[in-house]
Amino acid sequence: MAEEVKKRTTYRSRKELKPRLYIGDPMVAVFRTLVRTTINRPNTILYPWEKLIMPDCFRGRPGIRLEKCIECKKCVKICPNQCIQMVPIDHPTLGKVNRPQVYVARCMMCGYCAEVCPTNAMMVTPEFELAAYTRSDLMFDPFKLQYEHKPGYEVHSPMITPSELKAGKTESHDKGDMAIKDTVELDPKKCISCQRCAKTCPVGAITMADTGEVNPKTNKPVKRPVFDNNKCVSCEQCVEVCPKSCLSMKEAM
């Protein structure tokens, strides 16, 4: 019995292995594939004449609906590859506005821009064949970025805050839910009533309210910003333009 086991585990010389490895094994593999593809459907397709059917959750290159964009720049901030920037355009109905431009050669098609978009202007498309002869052809300006919308192209990833997760809650929140929305906080001692936050807000969620006080230096009424959290999209543009850093974001964590 021991001698039989020893014979089985003994290595054969390379001269004996060569004909089997280089000729025999490939022929066996080809024959198996021939039988398998003759009986069943082949594993490959005749691309580009045939194309795979993409699943509903497929995330291709970004698309946009220009009329729904509010210039909040959340897509620009969330992009991990920094391939999105806002550019001015002259739209026939919207006029002179700023809209996102995407350098799809650098885009990793993660769909984050569509996920954070508060108005679902940014979306994911089923397009993934983006080959071009020059790099400039891969710079998709807002007009080239447009895509016909269909239900399902928006990204709605349910979210849950770490504090809720730590407390044992399993209920998730959809996009725009007040429970997961960051809010703006004001330090009234630093505010100089410049109104830049109200002028910058893309959704008109900030109004300047009269406090009843009078500035002794200018003899003008003192006004403070009032925030409508239902309209606010937490884009932080008001925080960025505040010259005295009196605004900050309170995270709903």
Side-chain angles (χ1 to χ4, degrees):
M1 186 66 182
E3 292 180 357
E4 292 180 358
V5 173
K6 187 178 180 180
K7 288 180 181 179
R8 291 176 186 172
T9 56
T10 302
Y11 290 101
R12 286 174 290 181
S13 66
R14 295 183 63 83
K15 292 181 181 178
E16 295 175 351
L17 292 174
K18 275 184 179 178
R20 189 177 68 83
L21 289 176
Y22 296 110
I23 300 175
D25 286 359
M27 290 185 66
V28 172
V30 170
F31 183 73
R32 286 178 180 172
T33 306
L34 176 64
V35 173
R36 190 183 302 117
T37 54
T38 303
I39 299 174
N40 303 314
R41 182 181 172 82
N43 295 327
T44 57
I45 60 172
L46 296 176
Y47 182 83
W49 296 279
E50 293 180 4
K51 294 182 180 179
L52 292 173
I53 299 174
M54 296 301 170
D56 295 337
C57 58
F58 180 78
R59 296 183 178 187
R61 68 126 174 129
I64 191 173
R65 286 181 285 175
L66 296 178
E67 68 280 0
K68 299 206 70 176
C69 180
I70 58 173
E71 303 182 30
C72 66
K73 301 180 182 179
K74 295 188 76 172
C75 54
V76 178
K77 297 172 184 173
I78 198 69
C79 181
N81 283 358
Q82 299 179 351
C83 60
I84 305 177
Q85 59 178 345
M86 301 296 289
V87 294
I89 61 171
D90 192 0
H91 194 270
T93 57
L94 301 174
K96 294 183 179 180
V97 292
N98 295 322
R99 291 293 183 267
Q101 172 181 273
V102 180
Y103 185 33
V104 296
R106 196 186 296 171
C107 178
M108 59 189 292
M109 302 182 188
C110 60
Y112 282 178
C113 54
E115 186 175 338
V116 300
C117 184
T119 60
N120 291 327
M122 292 291 291
M123 56 186 173
V124 291
T125 69
E127 283 191 358
F128 62 92
E129 299 162 307
L130 303 170
Y133 288 103
T134 62
R135 291 185 177 181
S136 59
D137 291 340
L138 295 174
M139 185 66 77
F140 279 45
D141 61 26
F143 293 106
K144 191 177 179 180
L145 200 65
Q146 289 185 104
Y147 200 84
E148 184 181 358
H149 172 261
K150 289 183 179 178
Y153 288 172
E154 315 93 355
V155 179
H156 298 283
S157 297
M159 292 175 281
I160 184 169
T161 60
S163 58
E164 292 177 334
L165 195 63
K166 190 176 182 180
K169 296 182 179 179
T170 57
E171 296 179 0
S172 57
H173 306 278
D174 293 328
K175 185 190 298 183
D177 195 334
M178 285 297 297
I180 58 170
K181 184 184 289 186
D182 297 341
T183 54
V184 184
E185 282 192 335
L186 170 69
D187 185 355
K189 296 180 181 178
K190 296 181 180 179
C191 183
I192 57 174
S193 306
C194 66
Q195 303 184 25
R196 288 189 184 183
C197 53
K199 295 175 183 175
T200 306
C201 183
V203 292
I206 304 176
T207 55
M208 300 301 294
D210 196 345
T211 60
E213 302 175 5
V214 178
N215 190 330
K217 296 182 180 179
T218 60
N219 290 326
K220 292 182 179 179
V222 177
K223 294 183 178 180
R224 295 282 185 270
V226 178
F227 304 94
D228 186 350
N229 291 327
N230 292 320
K231 290 183 179 179
C232 180
V233 294
S234 307
C235 63
E236 302 184 31
Q237 292 198 51
C238 55
V239 178
E240 295 173 359
V241 299
C242 182
K244 294 296 182 181
S245 301
C246 61
L247 298 177
S248 60
M249 296 300 296
K250 181 183 178 183
E251 296 183 350
M253 303 297 284

